[in-house]
Amino acid sequence: MPNSKKTTAVQPAPGRRRELLATAAEVFAAHGYNATTVRRIADRAGLLAGSLYYHFDSKESMLDEILTGFLDELWAGYDAVLAAGLGPRETVESLVVESFREIDRHLWAVTIYQKEARHLATQPRFAYLAESQARFEEVWLGTLERGVAEGVFRPDLDVRLAYRFLRDTVWVAASWYRPDGDRTPEEIARHYLSMVLDGITLPADR
Amino acid sequence: MPNSKKTTAVQPAPGRRRELLATAAEVFAAHGYNATTVRRIADRAGLLAGSLYYHFDSKESMLDEILTGFLDELWAGYDAVLAAGLGPRETVESLVVESFREIDRHLWAVTIYQKEARHLATQPRFAYLAESQARFEEVWLGTLERGVAEGVFRPDLDVRLAYRFLRDTVWVAASWYRPDGDRTPEEIARHYLSMVLDGITLPADR
Amino acid sequence: MPNSKKTTAVQPAPGRRRELLATAAEVFAAHGYNATTVRRIADRAGLLAGSLYYHFDSKESMLDEILTGFLDELWAGYDAVLAAGLGPRETVESLVVESFREIDRHLWAVTIYQKEARHLATQPRFAYLAESQARFEEVWLGTLERGVAEGVFRPDLDVRLAYRFLRDTVWVAASWYRPDGDRTPEEIARHYLSMVLDGITLPADR
Amino acid sequence: MPNSKKTTAVQPAPGRRRELLATAAEVFAAHGYNATTVRRIADRAGLLAGSLYYHFDSKESMLDEILTGFLDELWAGYDAVLAAGLGPRETVESLVVESFREIDRHLWAVTIYQKEARHLATQPRFAYLAESQARFEEVWLGTLERGVAEGVFRPDLDVRLAYRFLRDTVWVAASWYRPDGDRTPEEIARHYLSMVLDGITLPADR
DNA sequence: GATGAATGAGGTTTCATTCAT
DNA sequence: AATGAATGAAACCTCATTCAT
């Protein structure tokens, strides 16, 4: 996305939309999509409810745009990691770090995704959520299986269970993470990783 | 499950309430509390929407009853564990096992809790959710701190992070757990614990 | 649903629906479907706008029911005429008489049909309107062609033009016909027929 | 059609209004006045909805201008016929021919008129519609009565019924007439007249 | 215990219109 | 002449809840 402030004037009028979407995302995240009234978004954005429809087709299309915006960036990040051809452990580490970065950048979208994805995925318009989730599972499961096969992860690992464990563990962080905290997403990711990879007990304990 | 269907049948309506609550819980869990219409519950239960009001004051009171029913049992279980005076590691293990048992028994209630607790807790009627969560945090944090102090857990553990990690890890399981699966809650709990306590990598890797 | 009104108990609850539909039809006819607000119907019927939705799915479904009710009866009448196997002239006469009877019985539905059928027919839900119209044309055109072939109608008759002429001529009557007038539908039909069949000029003029 | 596109191009906007009105008329005719959104007209004309308000006061004023434009020309034509002092039969013939010519030239306006005149006539702004209709009735009824009195039309003619018959018969043609068809308005008028004046049956039948 | 009918508040959306630029 | 953004009223519809029967 070209952002050369100073020379070009390519943007048709991206500003207002983006602001409104940010507001909508925040309110959706706070109260849930269904419980959020279009009027609440409008109030927060400083215009009347009906005026939102100049910018968006519907409440649903706002949600759509928020989720696709997030997923597009997420997969860009993931694909870059996967393209690097790392070993299983390093892949897991990089994916987790990348995930925390996305939480940092798309906190509200992640929150919404967590709460709404499951039932939205059943609607045709949001079928891409199901697709994304399927690919997600594929990537993680593959990495874990490779790790077990290569002796990097424990041979007795229940891969499906570990997948859910990792997936939930990471994304649920959106429920308490605040971007203005005193730790960077990378720091939090590292700490998470040390627990996930090595456990919380002292090695001596084993 | 006390179900003494043996003596009389003159009772005013002992089991009907319970049935209706079970139905309501299932629908709430499937679609979310707000998105669930009273009519959907009634349809599923085989009566008309208005007729539910003979049994319950309001939709909200159904939710209330579902959540308190769950929390009461949960704390009964937790208190029993805590009263046993176990060491930190064993306490963690027992609490996790107990949690999975509650997921097994109150799957829908747990699902609802996960989705709705945060914003419900702000309403006076559901203040007990906030209290419960505070006590929950207290118990877990205390156990973890004790474990670090006693050298059972790693000294570099970020206790708050580990708390959230454990908490989320356990409860999120409600999103995929099905009581009719081929593993008992205890088995799943054990596997979870082995990941959490010892990590997913091979010890040799360290 | 105990409804043993001593003798028959066949009606499930047809009364209210029918009343409301009659009211809706009248208002639709008076102001046009689109221009009619659901509130106007409700006001006239003596309840609140939202209450209509206890009886009907939507404003559109009211319209649907009104139109199908009319068309079903219309075709019952037409089919009876066609089954009689009359000659072309008598068929035309009977169809016209039957049409005026339907105008008398379904005045509002006919009025609505006249105003809305064309654009409604393009919507899938109202595809039956197009079908009905196609069959209508088939019946009339067939009768007229038969009449020309048998020497009953003028050989120089433009059959398509005559069809439209007859069709419009009859149905447009709904725009001024009032059931409480001093002439029966049959009388009016007869007068129409004498104009259509024999012209308005004096035979001597030819 | 004065179209002196030869001198200058400094005019404020002579043809633009006319173009926009033509577009509006077409859309009004296609979807009905109420169902037509100002945006639909603007889309078709290639500008934004708000921009129409530079040219017109309101949607209603567009309608107004369309209808008066049509009625003015119609009455110019009718008045010319009436001024000719023809006999009843010839007057009827000329009026019908003139009407078909107006349908040819003002197809969309006629269509709109047919659909909307009745309820518009109740609004003060469109009172001229009621006046026009009254004069219309006066002219036709007078001609028919004169024809009966002079023995040109059948003595048993119900003049009011015949008036409606003629009126509807003519104008309803706008619902199927297409200017680019293979017959001129005059030809169609002649055929209509032969049906109306002499009937559709063979004279021998009488 | 349950039904049928209704209420009333509030939700999303549409749309003619305005106005600064 | 036209745009982009917004207004405000009103539309259709939903839904928890009530209540006489």
Side-chain angles (χ1 to χ4, degrees):
Chain A
M1 271 151 238
N3 216 359
S4 56
K5 269 187 192 297
K6 181 204 293 191
T7 44
T8 56
V10 199
Q11 333 124 290
R16 196 72 176 112
R17 265 185 99 79
R18 208 161 296 226
E19 278 171 42
L20 293 172
L21 275 183
T23 304
E26 192 177 341
V27 187
F28 284 155
H31 304 282
Y33 172 70
N34 275 303
T36 296
T37 70
V38 128
R39 215 186 115 217
R40 178 120 68 170
I41 299 171
D43 279 356
R44 184 89 71 114
L47 40 68
L48 291 184
S51 306
L52 282 174
Y53 289 79
Y54 176 78
H55 301 277
F56 304 97
D57 283 346
S58 64
K59 184 183 164 188
E60 200 180 66
S61 80
M62 293 187 224
L63 176 61
D64 198 350
E65 218 162 308
I66 289 165
L67 291 177
T68 48
F70 156 58
L71 283 180
D72 287 352
E73 282 207 33
L74 175 70
W75 280 108
Y78 271 29
D79 285 338
V81 167
L82 297 171
L86 306 169
R89 184 184 170 126
E90 291 74 23
T91 299
V92 165
E93 287 176 351
S94 298
L95 288 178
V96 166
V97 169
E98 180 60 30
S99 301
F100 274 89
R101 283 204 191 105
E102 297 302 332
I103 291 174
D104 183 59
R105 278 198 291 187
H106 293 279
L107 180 54
W108 304 132
V110 174
T111 306
I112 296 164
Y113 184 92
Q114 286 289 105
K115 240 192 279 199
E116 318 286 352
R118 186 175 318 237
H119 77 265
L120 286 177
T122 63
Q123 301 174 222
R125 173 169 199 170
F126 293 96
Y128 63 85
L129 291 176
E131 289 165 28
S132 174
Q133 208 213 348
R135 218 191 134 210
F136 200 89
E137 182 168 342
E138 188 190 311
V139 164
W140 276 98
L141 237 54
T143 306
L144 289 172
E145 279 163 1
R146 192 152 57 94
V148 170
E150 295 182 10
V152 178
F153 300 136
R154 294 162 47 177
D156 63 333
L157 199 66
D158 178 326
V159 187
R160 292 201 68 82
L161 206 59
Y163 156 61
R164 290 181 191 127
F165 174 72
L166 275 163
R167 176 195 64 184
D168 299 342
T169 267
V170 168
W171 293 117
V172 167
S175 71
W176 53 262
Y177 178 77
R178 290 301 92 125
D180 49 342
D182 50 354
R183 278 178 298 182
T184 66
E186 286 81 4
E187 284 168 357
I188 297 178
R190 285 290 151 204
H191 216 101
Y192 250 78
L193 279 167
S194 88
M195 290 192 287
V196 170
L197 297 173
D198 302 326
I200 66 172
T201 55
L202 264 183
D205 268 305
R206 295 195 184 174
Chain B
M1 291 164 215
N3 213 2
S4 58
K5 249 188 196 303
K6 179 201 297 197
T7 45
T8 54
V10 205
Q11 319 119 316
R16 195 74 174 113
R17 262 186 101 79
R18 208 160 300 220
E19 278 171 41
L20 292 173
L21 275 182
T23 304
E26 193 177 339
V27 186
F28 284 155
H31 304 283
Y33 172 71
N34 274 302
T36 297
T37 70
V38 137
R39 213 190 123 211
R40 178 118 71 168
I41 299 170
D43 279 357
R44 184 88 74 113
L47 39 68
L48 291 184
S51 308
L52 281 174
Y53 287 79
Y54 177 82
H55 300 277
F56 303 98
D57 284 347
S58 65
K59 183 182 165 188
E60 202 180 63
S61 79
M62 292 186 229
L63 176 62
D64 198 350
E65 218 162 307
I66 289 165
L67 291 176
T68 48
F70 156 58
L71 284 181
D72 287 352
E73 282 207 31
L74 175 70
W75 280 108
Y78 271 28
D79 285 339
V81 168
L82 297 172
L86 306 168
R89 183 182 171 126
E90 291 73 23
T91 300
V92 165
E93 287 175 350
S94 299
L95 288 178
V96 166
V97 169
E98 180 60 28
S99 300
F100 274 90
R101 284 204 189 104
E102 297 301 333
I103 291 175
D104 183 60
R105 279 198 289 188
H106 294 279
L107 180 55
W108 305 132
V110 174
T111 306
I112 297 164
Y113 184 92
Q114 287 287 105
K115 242 194 278 199
E116 318 287 351
R118 186 175 318 237
H119 78 264
L120 285 176
T122 63
Q123 300 175 222
R125 174 169 198 170
F126 293 96
Y128 63 84
L129 292 175
E131 288 165 27
S132 174
Q133 206 213 351
R135 221 195 128 205
F136 200 90
E137 181 168 344
E138 189 189 310
V139 164
W140 276 98
L141 236 56
T143 306
L144 288 171
E145 278 161 1
R146 194 151 57 93
V148 170
E150 295 181 11
V152 178
F153 301 137
R154 294 162 47 177
D156 62 333
L157 199 65
D158 178 326
V159 188
R160 292 201 68 82
L161 205 58
Y163 156 61
R164 290 181 192 127
F165 175 70
L166 275 162
R167 175 195 62 186
D168 300 341
T169 270
V170 167
W171 295 117
V172 167
S175 71
W176 54 262
Y177 178 77
R178 290 301 91 126
D180 49 343
D182 51 353
R183 277 178 298 185
T184 66
E186 287 80 6
E187 284 168 357
I188 297 178
R190 283 293 151 203
H191 214 101
Y192 252 75
L193 279 167
S194 87
M195 290 191 287
V196 169
L197 296 173
D198 302 326
I200 67 172
T201 55
L202 268 182
D205 269 303
R206 297 193 184 174
Chain C
M1 308 131 217
N3 212 3
S4 57
K5 261 191 190 306
K6 191 201 286 177
T7 44
T8 56
V10 198
Q11 339 123 287
R16 198 71 177 113
R17 263 185 100 79
R18 209 161 297 223
E19 278 171 42
L20 293 172
L21 275 183
T23 304
E26 192 177 340
V27 188
F28 284 155
H31 305 282
Y33 172 71
N34 275 301
T36 297
T37 71
V38 128
R39 218 188 112 216
R40 178 120 67 168
I41 299 171
D43 279 357
R44 184 89 71 114
L47 40 67
L48 291 183
S51 306
L52 282 175
Y53 290 81
Y54 175 77
H55 301 277
F56 304 98
D57 284 345
S58 64
K59 183 184 164 187
E60 200 180 65
S61 80
M62 291 187 227
L63 177 61
D64 198 349
E65 218 162 307
I66 290 166
L67 291 177
T68 48
F70 157 56
L71 284 180
D72 287 352
E73 281 207 32
L74 175 69
W75 280 108
Y78 272 28
D79 285 338
V81 167
L82 297 172
L86 306 169
R89 184 184 170 126
E90 291 73 25
T91 300
V92 164
E93 286 175 353
S94 297
L95 288 178
V96 167
V97 169
E98 180 60 30
S99 300
F100 274 89
R101 283 206 189 103
E102 296 302 331
I103 290 176
D104 183 58
R105 278 199 291 188
H106 293 279
L107 180 56
W108 305 132
V110 174
T111 306
I112 296 165
Y113 185 92
Q114 286 287 105
K115 240 192 280 198
E116 319 285 351
R118 186 175 319 237
H119 78 264
L120 286 177
T122 63
Q123 298 174 224
R125 175 170 196 169
F126 293 96
Y128 63 84
L129 292 176
E131 290 165 26
S132 174
Q133 208 214 348
R135 222 196 129 207
F136 200 88
E137 181 169 343
E138 190 189 310
V139 164
W140 276 99
L141 237 55
T143 306
L144 289 172
E145 279 161 0
R146 193 154 55 95
V148 170
E150 297 182 9
V152 178
F153 300 138
R154 293 163 47 177
D156 63 332
L157 200 66
D158 179 325
V159 185
R160 291 201 70 82
L161 206 60
Y163 156 61
R164 290 182 192 126
F165 174 72
L166 275 163
R167 176 194 63 186
D168 299 341
T169 267
V170 168
W171 294 116
V172 167
S175 70
W176 54 261
Y177 178 78
R178 287 305 90 124
D180 49 342
D182 49 355
R183 277 178 299 182
T184 66
E186 286 81 5
E187 284 166 359
I188 298 178
R190 284 291 151 203
H191 216 101
Y192 251 77
L193 280 168
S194 86
M195 289 191 287
V196 169
L197 297 173
D198 302 325
I200 65 172
T201 54
L202 264 185
D205 269 303
R206 295 196 184 171
Chain D
M1 288 164 218
N3 212 1
S4 58
K5 248 190 194 311
K6 162 185 329 178
T7 45
T8 55
V10 204
Q11 319 118 314
R16 194 75 174 116
R17 262 185 100 80
R18 208 160 300 222
E19 278 172 42
L20 293 173
L21 276 183
T23 304
E26 192 177 340
V27 186
F28 284 155
H31 304 283
Y33 172 71
N34 275 301
T36 297
T37 70
V38 137
R39 214 188 123 215
R40 178 120 65 169
I41 299 170
D43 279 357
R44 184 88 73 113
L47 40 68
L48 291 184
S51 308
L52 280 175
Y53 288 79
Y54 177 81
H55 300 277
F56 303 97
D57 284 347
S58 66
K59 184 184 165 189
E60 202 180 62
S61 79
M62 292 186 229
L63 177 62
D64 198 350
E65 219 162 306
I66 289 165
L67 291 176
T68 48
F70 157 57
L71 284 181
D72 287 352
E73 282 207 32
L74 175 70
W75 280 108
Y78 272 28
D79 284 339
V81 167
L82 297 172
L86 305 170
R89 185 183 170 127
E90 291 72 26
T91 300
V92 165
E93 286 175 352
S94 298
L95 288 178
V96 166
V97 170
E98 180 59 29
S99 300
F100 273 90
R101 284 206 190 104
E102 295 303 330
I103 291 176
D104 183 60
R105 279 197 290 187
H106 292 279
L107 180 56
W108 305 133
V110 174
T111 306
I112 297 165
Y113 184 92
Q114 287 287 104
K115 242 194 278 198
E116 318 286 351
R118 186 176 318 238
H119 77 264
L120 285 177
T122 63
Q123 298 175 225
R125 174 168 199 171
F126 293 96
Y128 62 85
L129 292 175
E131 289 164 25
S132 173
Q133 208 212 349
R135 219 193 132 208
F136 199 88
E137 183 170 342
E138 189 188 311
V139 164
W140 276 98
L141 236 57
T143 306
L144 289 171
E145 279 162 0
R146 193 153 55 94
V148 170
E150 296 180 10
V152 177
F153 300 137
R154 294 162 47 177
D156 62 332
L157 199 65
D158 180 324
V159 187
R160 292 201 68 81
L161 205 58
Y163 156 60
R164 290 180 192 127
F165 175 69
L166 275 163
R167 176 195 63 186
D168 299 343
T169 270
V170 168
W171 294 117
V172 167
S175 71
W176 55 262
Y177 178 76
R178 289 302 91 123
D180 49 342
D182 49 355
R183 276 179 299 183
T184 65
E186 286 81 6
E187 284 167 357
I188 298 178
R190 283 292 150 202
H191 216 102
Y192 252 74
L193 279 167
S194 87
M195 289 191 286
V196 170
L197 297 174
D198 301 325
I200 66 173
T201 54
L202 267 183
D205 268 304
R206 295 193 185 174

